[in-house]
Amino acid sequence: GSAGNKEDIPMSISQSVLVRPLPNKLDEFISRLAKSKTLYEQNGSRVSFYRTVAGPAPNAVLIVSTVDDWDQWSKAASAIENNADFAAIQREHAADPAAEVLATGILKEFELPS
């Protein structure tokens, strides 16, 4: 597109996961979150956590990992997929879950037309 085209402006991409910690698993849940956050941040993602206080999934945690554009998202996703530490966290979760996944999503930022 042309230099002034809005499509040329990078819009952030976020991956979201809504999870609910399982009973008596809060310590493991927090530990795994901390490890995962470090791995995602090492690959250029900004990671935020939100606790639901109202709505259809109370006492759940929304994890949002954000990068600047699709190119960075692809690079970060590939790096995480090939990361031995992240694979170990996934195996640990499969063998002994600390939370149930309620929903996942990929979000693309957009601006309203001017």
Side-chain angles (χ1 to χ4, degrees):
S2 64
N5 188 335
K6 277 202 179 272
E7 288 299 314
D8 292 339
I9 301 169
M11 292 285 137
S12 66
I13 307 299
S14 297
Q15 185 165 346
S16 67
V17 182
L18 184 64
V19 297
R20 182 177 291 127
L22 294 173
N24 305 312
K25 294 287 188 170
L26 190 58
D27 290 343
E28 291 96 329
F29 174 70
I30 296 297
S31 172
R32 291 176 195 171
L33 276 187
K35 290 177 195 171
S36 296
K37 179 180 192 287
T38 298
L39 293 171
Y40 274 91
E41 287 177 341
Q42 287 170 351
N43 290 293
S45 298
R46 298 176 302 282
V47 180
S48 301
F49 302 103
Y50 303 89
R51 187 173 69 87
T52 60
V53 293
N59 298 314
V61 174
L62 179 65
I63 306 157
V64 181
S65 173
T66 303
V67 294
D68 292 334
D69 54 33
W70 283 113
D71 185 52
Q72 191 179 3
W73 185 84
S74 178
K75 288 177 185 171
S78 179
I80 285 290
E81 282 177 20
N82 296 309
N83 184 291
D85 293 331
F86 191 73
I89 293 169
Q90 289 184 308
R91 282 193 304 275
E92 186 180 10
H93 175 74
D96 183 21
E100 64 176 321
V101 175
L102 303 177
T104 62
I106 295 177
L107 312 160
K108 182 180 186 302
E109 179 186 17
F110 74 96
E111 290 184 1
L112 296 175
S114 44

